[in-house]
Amino acid sequence: MGFLEGKVAVVTGAGSGMGKATATVLAREGALVVACDISGAQEQTVAELGGQAVAAGCDISDEAQVSAVIDLAVEKFGRLDAMLNVAGIGAGGPIETLEAGDLQRMLDVNLKGMFFGAKHAVRAMKETGGGAIVNWSSLAGLIPSPNSGAYAISKAGVVMMTRQFAVEAGKYKIRSNAICPGVILTEGMGIAAAKAHPERATGNPLGRAGLPEEAGELAAFLVSDRAAYINGVLIPLDGGWSCMLA
Ligand SMILES: NC(=O)c1ccc[n+]([C@@H]2O[C@H](COP(=O)([O-])OP(=O)(O)OC[C@H]3O[C@@H](n4cnc5c(N)ncnc54)[C@H](O)[C@@H]3O)[C@@H](O)[C@H]2O)c1
């Protein structure tokens, strides 16, 4: 029996990268998973998971769509125990030429999208005695680096949002924690980033980039009862890179 047997989870960004890997680890450990994405690739994820996983199309920047996905989890499986806010977008460029529309889109998806996920997860989790939220921030949300302005600002917002939910939702036995990846080899962002900046991918004490599955394993632990007293923490998943930058 897996250590998430009977738990119900919603995973955003489940069509690719860390979202797909997280959905896979959660299902392996017995969780019932609603896999969402904007791309359509969540259907393939669910086909690969088999079992009772369900796919849902969702643009996380639209609150009504996020709310509907939470309702789907409750309708289908009776409750919600774990909200994995993985979906995000990346873009680089100097801040002095950043267009308002590009900043807005970054904040809409990376910050507001995760906020909607956490907000509606709390609504559902309150009804059944608690749960756990995991938000994907980034090392960029903790430490600034050249040309990552809009992305870094959105991910720093996720850091404070995570801590704010930890404080406000703790009374409902809902925990809120964040994963702050360094460079993880994912189809969408990580492999491209590793190619563009190989020194970022390997310039950490372990000398290699991370794997999507390694994020999935951490997330599975964080939403499990094994992490029952962990609330409001930000965990770098970076092979120790942030120790060198500090
Ligand atoms: N890969 C890395 O090195 C790295 C590093 C730090 C942080 N992160 C963060 O980790 C998370 C996962 O990244 P990844 O590398 O697995 O990315 P990825 O591009 O492989 O997957 C992201 C998924 O999110 C989906 N998505 C994008 N916009 C969406 C929207 N509006 N609504 C719903 N789904 C949407 C995409 O379709 C895609 O399937 C992101 O939040 C990213 O910012 C990644």
Side-chain angles (χ1 to χ4, degrees), residues 90-122:
I95 43 174
E96 68 265 28
T97 53
L98 179 62
E99 297 289 343
D102 293 336
L103 176 62
Q104 188 64 56
R105 183 66 190 152
M106 191 71 75
L107 295 174
D108 282 350
V109 177
N110 285 3
L111 181 54
K112 285 170 69 179
M114 291 203 188
F115 173 79
F116 297 147
K119 172 185 168 184
H120 289 282
V122 167

PDB file of all heavy atoms in Angstrom, residues 90-122:
ATOM      1  N   GLY A  90       7.644  30.624 -18.016  1.00  0.00           N
ATOM      2  CA  GLY A  90       8.930  31.286 -17.804  1.00  0.00           C
ATOM      3  C   GLY A  90       9.239  32.231 -18.952  1.00  0.00           C
ATOM      4  O   GLY A  90       8.778  32.019 -20.075  1.00  0.00           O
ATOM      5  N   ALA A  91       9.974  33.262 -18.667  1.00  0.00           N
ATOM      6  CA  ALA A  91      10.458  34.173 -19.716  1.00  0.00           C
ATOM      7  C   ALA A  91      11.570  35.000 -19.108  1.00  0.00           C
ATOM      8  O   ALA A  91      11.555  35.298 -17.913  1.00  0.00           O
ATOM      9  CB  ALA A  91       9.339  35.075 -20.217  1.00  0.00           C
ATOM     10  N   GLY A  92      12.536  35.329 -19.948  1.00  0.00           N
ATOM     11  CA  GLY A  92      13.644  36.143 -19.468  1.00  0.00           C
ATOM     12  C   GLY A  92      13.663  37.497 -20.148  1.00  0.00           C
ATOM     13  O   GLY A  92      12.804  37.793 -20.978  1.00  0.00           O
ATOM     14  N   GLY A  93      14.635  38.303 -19.801  1.00  0.00           N
ATOM     15  CA  GLY A  93      14.772  39.603 -20.441  1.00  0.00           C
ATOM     16  C   GLY A  93      15.023  40.687 -19.415  1.00  0.00           C
ATOM     17  O   GLY A  93      14.669  40.532 -18.247  1.00  0.00           O
ATOM     18  N   PRO A  94      15.642  41.775 -19.866  1.00  0.00           N
ATOM     19  CA  PRO A  94      15.965  42.856 -18.938  1.00  0.00           C
ATOM     20  C   PRO A  94      14.724  43.588 -18.429  1.00  0.00           C
ATOM     21  O   PRO A  94      13.767  43.773 -19.183  1.00  0.00           O
ATOM     22  CB  PRO A  94      16.844  43.798 -19.780  1.00  0.00           C
ATOM     23  CG  PRO A  94      16.634  43.401 -21.203  1.00  0.00           C
ATOM     24  CD  PRO A  94      16.101  42.011 -21.235  1.00  0.00           C
ATOM     25  N   ILE A  95      14.748  43.995 -17.177  1.00  0.00           N
ATOM     26  CA  ILE A  95      13.556  44.640 -16.615  1.00  0.00           C
ATOM     27  C   ILE A  95      13.287  46.013 -17.227  1.00  0.00           C
ATOM     28  O   ILE A  95      12.144  46.442 -17.283  1.00  0.00           O
ATOM     29  CB  ILE A  95      13.628  44.777 -15.065  1.00  0.00           C
ATOM     30  CG1 ILE A  95      14.999  45.236 -14.610  1.00  0.00           C
ATOM     31  CG2 ILE A  95      13.193  43.532 -14.361  1.00  0.00           C
ATOM     32  CD1 ILE A  95      15.081  45.512 -13.129  1.00  0.00           C
ATOM     33  N   GLU A  96      14.331  46.685 -17.721  1.00  0.00           N
ATOM     34  CA  GLU A  96      14.068  48.049 -18.199  1.00  0.00           C
ATOM     35  C   GLU A  96      13.286  48.092 -19.512  1.00  0.00           C
ATOM     36  O   GLU A  96      12.726  49.129 -19.875  1.00  0.00           O
ATOM     37  CB  GLU A  96      15.360  48.876 -18.309  1.00  0.00           C
ATOM     38  CG  GLU A  96      16.329  48.434 -19.379  1.00  0.00           C
ATOM     39  CD  GLU A  96      17.409  47.491 -18.834  1.00  0.00           C
ATOM     40  OE1 GLU A  96      17.138  46.785 -17.837  1.00  0.00           O
ATOM     41  OE2 GLU A  96      18.511  47.466 -19.406  1.00  0.00           O
ATOM     42  N   THR A  97      13.197  46.940 -20.200  1.00  0.00           N
ATOM     43  CA  THR A  97      12.392  46.910 -21.432  1.00  0.00           C
ATOM     44  C   THR A  97      11.160  46.006 -21.288  1.00  0.00           C
ATOM     45  O   THR A  97      10.487  45.703 -22.275  1.00  0.00           O
ATOM     46  CB  THR A  97      13.242  46.410 -22.614  1.00  0.00           C
ATOM     47  OG1 THR A  97      13.842  45.160 -22.251  1.00  0.00           O
ATOM     48  CG2 THR A  97      14.318  47.413 -22.990  1.00  0.00           C
ATOM     49  N   LEU A  98      10.894  45.603 -20.076  1.00  0.00           N
ATOM     50  CA  LEU A  98       9.754  44.708 -19.840  1.00  0.00           C
ATOM     51  C   LEU A  98       8.439  45.437 -20.138  1.00  0.00           C
ATOM     52  O   LEU A  98       8.177  46.509 -19.598  1.00  0.00           O
ATOM     53  CB  LEU A  98       9.790  44.251 -18.367  1.00  0.00           C
ATOM     54  CG  LEU A  98       8.692  43.323 -17.882  1.00  0.00           C
ATOM     55  CD1 LEU A  98       8.714  42.003 -18.634  1.00  0.00           C
ATOM     56  CD2 LEU A  98       8.845  43.086 -16.375  1.00  0.00           C
ATOM     57  N   GLU A  99       7.625  44.826 -21.005  1.00  0.00           N
ATOM     58  CA  GLU A  99       6.335  45.434 -21.367  1.00  0.00           C
ATOM     59  C   GLU A  99       5.299  45.105 -20.297  1.00  0.00           C
ATOM     60  O   GLU A  99       5.295  44.007 -19.729  1.00  0.00           O
ATOM     61  CB  GLU A  99       5.848  44.872 -22.712  1.00  0.00           C
ATOM     62  CG  GLU A  99       6.752  45.177 -23.893  1.00  0.00           C
ATOM     63  CD  GLU A  99       6.715  46.651 -24.304  1.00  0.00           C
ATOM     64  OE1 GLU A  99       5.769  47.366 -23.892  1.00  0.00           O
ATOM     65  OE2 GLU A  99       7.643  47.087 -25.025  1.00  0.00           O
ATOM     66  N   ALA A 100       4.381  46.052 -20.083  1.00  0.00           N
ATOM     67  CA  ALA A 100       3.354  45.875 -19.049  1.00  0.00           C
ATOM     68  C   ALA A 100       2.553  44.603 -19.282  1.00  0.00           C
ATOM     69  O   ALA A 100       2.235  43.864 -18.342  1.00  0.00           O
ATOM     70  CB  ALA A 100       2.432  47.091 -19.011  1.00  0.00           C
ATOM     71  N   GLY A 101       2.228  44.333 -20.560  1.00  0.00           N
ATOM     72  CA  GLY A 101       1.415  43.161 -20.866  1.00  0.00           C
ATOM     73  C   GLY A 101       2.131  41.855 -20.533  1.00  0.00           C
ATOM     74  O   GLY A 101       1.506  40.895 -20.075  1.00  0.00           O
ATOM     75  N   ASP A 102       3.443  41.822 -20.766  1.00  0.00           N
ATOM     76  CA  ASP A 102       4.210  40.611 -20.459  1.00  0.00           C
ATOM     77  C   ASP A 102       4.312  40.400 -18.949  1.00  0.00           C
ATOM     78  O   ASP A 102       4.228  39.275 -18.451  1.00  0.00           O
ATOM     79  CB  ASP A 102       5.612  40.711 -21.077  1.00  0.00           C
ATOM     80  CG  ASP A 102       5.547  40.701 -22.598  1.00  0.00           C
ATOM     81  OD1 ASP A 102       4.557  40.175 -23.154  1.00  0.00           O
ATOM     82  OD2 ASP A 102       6.473  41.240 -23.236  1.00  0.00           O
ATOM     83  N   LEU A 103       4.503  41.496 -18.221  1.00  0.00           N
ATOM     84  CA  LEU A 103       4.529  41.397 -16.750  1.00  0.00           C
ATOM     85  C   LEU A 103       3.180  40.918 -16.240  1.00  0.00           C
ATOM     86  O   LEU A 103       3.093  40.047 -15.370  1.00  0.00           O
ATOM     87  CB  LEU A 103       4.878  42.760 -16.140  1.00  0.00           C
ATOM     88  CG  LEU A 103       4.841  42.831 -14.614  1.00  0.00           C
ATOM     89  CD1 LEU A 103       5.863  41.878 -13.981  1.00  0.00           C
ATOM     90  CD2 LEU A 103       5.097  44.263 -14.132  1.00  0.00           C
ATOM     91  N   GLN A 104       2.116  41.465 -16.828  1.00  0.00           N
ATOM     92  CA  GLN A 104       0.762  41.099 -16.389  1.00  0.00           C
ATOM     93  C   GLN A 104       0.509  39.605 -16.597  1.00  0.00           C
ATOM     94  O   GLN A 104      -0.011  38.924 -15.707  1.00  0.00           O
ATOM     95  CB  GLN A 104      -0.262  41.921 -17.176  1.00  0.00           C
ATOM     96  CG  GLN A 104      -1.690  41.760 -16.674  1.00  0.00           C
ATOM     97  CD  GLN A 104      -1.863  42.275 -15.254  1.00  0.00           C
ATOM     98  OE1 GLN A 104      -1.560  43.425 -14.975  1.00  0.00           O
ATOM     99  NE2 GLN A 104      -2.300  41.416 -14.348  1.00  0.00           N
ATOM    100  N   ARG A 105       0.885  39.086 -17.771  1.00  0.00           N
ATOM    101  CA  ARG A 105       0.655  37.668 -18.064  1.00  0.00           C
ATOM    102  C   ARG A 105       1.430  36.786 -17.079  1.00  0.00           C
ATOM    103  O   ARG A 105       0.930  35.782 -16.589  1.00  0.00           O
ATOM    104  CB  ARG A 105       1.072  37.345 -19.509  1.00  0.00           C
ATOM    105  CG  ARG A 105       0.812  35.913 -19.932  1.00  0.00           C
ATOM    106  CD  ARG A 105      -0.683  35.590 -19.988  1.00  0.00           C
ATOM    107  NE  ARG A 105      -0.949  34.164 -20.169  1.00  0.00           N
ATOM    108  CZ  ARG A 105      -2.034  33.535 -19.739  1.00  0.00           C
ATOM    109  NH1 ARG A 105      -2.997  34.178 -19.096  1.00  0.00           N
ATOM    110  NH2 ARG A 105      -2.200  32.248 -19.943  1.00  0.00           N
ATOM    111  N   MET A 106       2.670  37.194 -16.782  1.00  0.00           N
ATOM    112  CA  MET A 106       3.496  36.432 -15.834  1.00  0.00           C
ATOM    113  C   MET A 106       2.825  36.386 -14.459  1.00  0.00           C
ATOM    114  O   MET A 106       2.751  35.334 -13.816  1.00  0.00           O
ATOM    115  CB  MET A 106       4.873  37.097 -15.735  1.00  0.00           C
ATOM    116  CG  MET A 106       5.901  36.293 -15.009  1.00  0.00           C
ATOM    117  SD  MET A 106       6.450  34.843 -15.918  1.00  0.00           S
ATOM    118  CE  MET A 106       7.492  35.575 -17.143  1.00  0.00           C
ATOM    119  N   LEU A 107       2.332  37.538 -14.018  1.00  0.00           N
ATOM    120  CA  LEU A 107       1.682  37.585 -12.703  1.00  0.00           C
ATOM    121  C   LEU A 107       0.347  36.829 -12.733  1.00  0.00           C
ATOM    122  O   LEU A 107      -0.012  36.154 -11.760  1.00  0.00           O
ATOM    123  CB  LEU A 107       1.461  39.038 -12.272  1.00  0.00           C
ATOM    124  CG  LEU A 107       2.737  39.847 -12.023  1.00  0.00           C
ATOM    125  CD1 LEU A 107       2.396  41.314 -11.756  1.00  0.00           C
ATOM    126  CD2 LEU A 107       3.558  39.283 -10.865  1.00  0.00           C
ATOM    127  N   ASP A 108      -0.366  36.927 -13.859  1.00  0.00           N
ATOM    128  CA  ASP A 108      -1.668  36.251 -13.960  1.00  0.00           C
ATOM    129  C   ASP A 108      -1.521  34.736 -13.814  1.00  0.00           C
ATOM    130  O   ASP A 108      -2.322  34.090 -13.145  1.00  0.00           O
ATOM    131  CB  ASP A 108      -2.328  36.561 -15.314  1.00  0.00           C
ATOM    132  CG  ASP A 108      -2.955  37.942 -15.340  1.00  0.00           C
ATOM    133  OD1 ASP A 108      -3.047  38.590 -14.275  1.00  0.00           O
ATOM    134  OD2 ASP A 108      -3.335  38.390 -16.438  1.00  0.00           O
ATOM    135  N   VAL A 109      -0.512  34.179 -14.480  1.00  0.00           N
ATOM    136  CA  VAL A 109      -0.345  32.714 -14.433  1.00  0.00           C
ATOM    137  C   VAL A 109       0.420  32.310 -13.170  1.00  0.00           C
ATOM    138  O   VAL A 109      -0.060  31.521 -12.349  1.00  0.00           O
ATOM    139  CB  VAL A 109       0.392  32.197 -15.691  1.00  0.00           C
ATOM    140  CG1 VAL A 109       0.630  30.691 -15.582  1.00  0.00           C
ATOM    141  CG2 VAL A 109      -0.402  32.526 -16.946  1.00  0.00           C
ATOM    142  N   ASN A 110       1.604  32.859 -13.005  1.00  0.00           N
ATOM    143  CA  ASN A 110       2.502  32.342 -11.958  1.00  0.00           C
ATOM    144  C   ASN A 110       2.080  32.723 -10.539  1.00  0.00           C
ATOM    145  O   ASN A 110       2.342  31.969  -9.599  1.00  0.00           O
ATOM    146  CB  ASN A 110       3.924  32.845 -12.200  1.00  0.00           C
ATOM    147  CG  ASN A 110       4.593  32.120 -13.355  1.00  0.00           C
ATOM    148  OD1 ASN A 110       3.985  31.289 -14.016  1.00  0.00           O
ATOM    149  ND2 ASN A 110       5.849  32.435 -13.607  1.00  0.00           N
ATOM    150  N   LEU A 111       1.455  33.871 -10.384  1.00  0.00           N
ATOM    151  CA  LEU A 111       1.069  34.275  -9.031  1.00  0.00           C
ATOM    152  C   LEU A 111      -0.437  34.120  -8.799  1.00  0.00           C
ATOM    153  O   LEU A 111      -0.861  33.382  -7.914  1.00  0.00           O
ATOM    154  CB  LEU A 111       1.520  35.718  -8.773  1.00  0.00           C
ATOM    155  CG  LEU A 111       1.213  36.271  -7.379  1.00  0.00           C
ATOM    156  CD1 LEU A 111       1.760  35.371  -6.281  1.00  0.00           C
ATOM    157  CD2 LEU A 111       1.770  37.685  -7.229  1.00  0.00           C
ATOM    158  N   LYS A 112      -1.241  34.784  -9.646  1.00  0.00           N
ATOM    159  CA  LYS A 112      -2.686  34.701  -9.432  1.00  0.00           C
ATOM    160  C   LYS A 112      -3.185  33.279  -9.655  1.00  0.00           C
ATOM    161  O   LYS A 112      -4.061  32.798  -8.941  1.00  0.00           O
ATOM    162  CB  LYS A 112      -3.418  35.685 -10.344  1.00  0.00           C
ATOM    163  CG  LYS A 112      -3.277  37.128  -9.868  1.00  0.00           C
ATOM    164  CD  LYS A 112      -3.785  38.148 -10.879  1.00  0.00           C
ATOM    165  CE  LYS A 112      -5.281  38.130 -11.061  1.00  0.00           C
ATOM    166  NZ  LYS A 112      -5.719  39.161 -12.046  1.00  0.00           N
ATOM    167  N   GLY A 113      -2.625  32.582 -10.647  1.00  0.00           N
ATOM    168  CA  GLY A 113      -3.056  31.208 -10.917  1.00  0.00           C
ATOM    169  C   GLY A 113      -2.849  30.316  -9.696  1.00  0.00           C
ATOM    170  O   GLY A 113      -3.718  29.514  -9.340  1.00  0.00           O
ATOM    171  N   MET A 114      -1.694  30.452  -9.069  1.00  0.00           N
ATOM    172  CA  MET A 114      -1.432  29.634  -7.873  1.00  0.00           C
ATOM    173  C   MET A 114      -2.298  30.092  -6.703  1.00  0.00           C
ATOM    174  O   MET A 114      -2.741  29.277  -5.884  1.00  0.00           O
ATOM    175  CB  MET A 114       0.051  29.677  -7.507  1.00  0.00           C
ATOM    176  CG  MET A 114       0.912  28.945  -8.515  1.00  0.00           C
ATOM    177  SD  MET A 114       2.488  28.403  -7.850  1.00  0.00           S
ATOM    178  CE  MET A 114       3.260  27.829  -9.366  1.00  0.00           C
ATOM    179  N   PHE A 115      -2.532  31.399  -6.625  1.00  0.00           N
ATOM    180  CA  PHE A 115      -3.415  31.906  -5.565  1.00  0.00           C
ATOM    181  C   PHE A 115      -4.814  31.313  -5.697  1.00  0.00           C
ATOM    182  O   PHE A 115      -5.401  30.857  -4.708  1.00  0.00           O
ATOM    183  CB  PHE A 115      -3.477  33.439  -5.611  1.00  0.00           C
ATOM    184  CG  PHE A 115      -4.496  34.009  -4.669  1.00  0.00           C
ATOM    185  CD1 PHE A 115      -4.217  34.128  -3.312  1.00  0.00           C
ATOM    186  CD2 PHE A 115      -5.746  34.387  -5.124  1.00  0.00           C
ATOM    187  CE1 PHE A 115      -5.174  34.618  -2.433  1.00  0.00           C
ATOM    188  CE2 PHE A 115      -6.707  34.875  -4.254  1.00  0.00           C
ATOM    189  CZ  PHE A 115      -6.417  34.999  -2.903  1.00  0.00           C
ATOM    190  N   PHE A 116      -5.345  31.286  -6.933  1.00  0.00           N
ATOM    191  CA  PHE A 116      -6.686  30.715  -7.124  1.00  0.00           C
ATOM    192  C   PHE A 116      -6.701  29.236  -6.699  1.00  0.00           C
ATOM    193  O   PHE A 116      -7.651  28.781  -6.065  1.00  0.00           O
ATOM    194  CB  PHE A 116      -7.115  30.834  -8.598  1.00  0.00           C
ATOM    195  CG  PHE A 116      -7.256  32.241  -9.103  1.00  0.00           C
ATOM    196  CD1 PHE A 116      -6.953  32.546 -10.433  1.00  0.00           C
ATOM    197  CD2 PHE A 116      -7.687  33.274  -8.274  1.00  0.00           C
ATOM    198  CE1 PHE A 116      -7.090  33.840 -10.918  1.00  0.00           C
ATOM    199  CE2 PHE A 116      -7.821  34.570  -8.753  1.00  0.00           C
ATOM    200  CZ  PHE A 116      -7.515  34.864 -10.083  1.00  0.00           C
ATOM    201  N   GLY A 117      -5.637  28.513  -7.059  1.00  0.00           N
ATOM    202  CA  GLY A 117      -5.562  27.100  -6.675  1.00  0.00           C
ATOM    203  C   GLY A 117      -5.595  26.934  -5.164  1.00  0.00           C
ATOM    204  O   GLY A 117      -6.351  26.114  -4.629  1.00  0.00           O
ATOM    205  N   ALA A 118      -4.793  27.734  -4.479  1.00  0.00           N
ATOM    206  CA  ALA A 118      -4.734  27.620  -3.015  1.00  0.00           C
ATOM    207  C   ALA A 118      -6.051  28.067  -2.378  1.00  0.00           C
ATOM    208  O   ALA A 118      -6.570  27.416  -1.464  1.00  0.00           O
ATOM    209  CB  ALA A 118      -3.565  28.451  -2.487  1.00  0.00           C
ATOM    210  N   LYS A 119      -6.600  29.158  -2.876  1.00  0.00           N
ATOM    211  CA  LYS A 119      -7.852  29.689  -2.314  1.00  0.00           C
ATOM    212  C   LYS A 119      -8.982  28.666  -2.399  1.00  0.00           C
ATOM    213  O   LYS A 119      -9.676  28.393  -1.414  1.00  0.00           O
ATOM    214  CB  LYS A 119      -8.242  30.969  -3.082  1.00  0.00           C
ATOM    215  CG  LYS A 119      -9.603  31.523  -2.738  1.00  0.00           C
ATOM    216  CD  LYS A 119      -9.956  32.725  -3.625  1.00  0.00           C
ATOM    217  CE  LYS A 119     -11.422  33.096  -3.487  1.00  0.00           C
ATOM    218  NZ  LYS A 119     -11.824  34.182  -4.395  1.00  0.00           N
ATOM    219  N   HIS A 120      -9.166  28.073  -3.582  1.00  0.00           N
ATOM    220  CA  HIS A 120     -10.282  27.137  -3.750  1.00  0.00           C
ATOM    221  C   HIS A 120      -9.980  25.787  -3.106  1.00  0.00           C
ATOM    222  O   HIS A 120     -10.913  25.083  -2.693  1.00  0.00           O
ATOM    223  CB  HIS A 120     -10.668  27.042  -5.226  1.00  0.00           C
ATOM    224  CG  HIS A 120     -11.345  28.300  -5.683  1.00  0.00           C
ATOM    225  ND1 HIS A 120     -12.661  28.580  -5.401  1.00  0.00           N
ATOM    226  CD2 HIS A 120     -10.858  29.401  -6.317  1.00  0.00           C
ATOM    227  CE1 HIS A 120     -12.968  29.784  -5.877  1.00  0.00           C
ATOM    228  NE2 HIS A 120     -11.890  30.294  -6.436  1.00  0.00           N
ATOM    229  N   ALA A 121      -8.704  25.458  -2.989  1.00  0.00           N
ATOM    230  CA  ALA A 121      -8.352  24.243  -2.244  1.00  0.00           C
ATOM    231  C   ALA A 121      -8.754  24.398  -0.779  1.00  0.00           C
ATOM    232  O   ALA A 121      -9.315  23.473  -0.173  1.00  0.00           O
ATOM    233  CB  ALA A 121      -6.858  23.966  -2.360  1.00  0.00           C
ATOM    234  N   VAL A 122      -8.491  25.571  -0.207  1.00  0.00           N
ATOM    235  CA  VAL A 122      -8.870  25.804   1.198  1.00  0.00           C
ATOM    236  C   VAL A 122     -10.383  25.651   1.359  1.00  0.00           C
ATOM    237  O   VAL A 122     -10.859  25.015   2.306  1.00  0.00           O
ATOM    238  CB  VAL A 122      -8.395  27.203   1.667  1.00  0.00           C
ATOM    239  CG1 VAL A 122      -9.041  27.591   2.991  1.00  0.00           C
ATOM    240  CG2 VAL A 122      -6.873  27.217   1.791  1.00  0.00           C
TER     241      VAL A 122
END
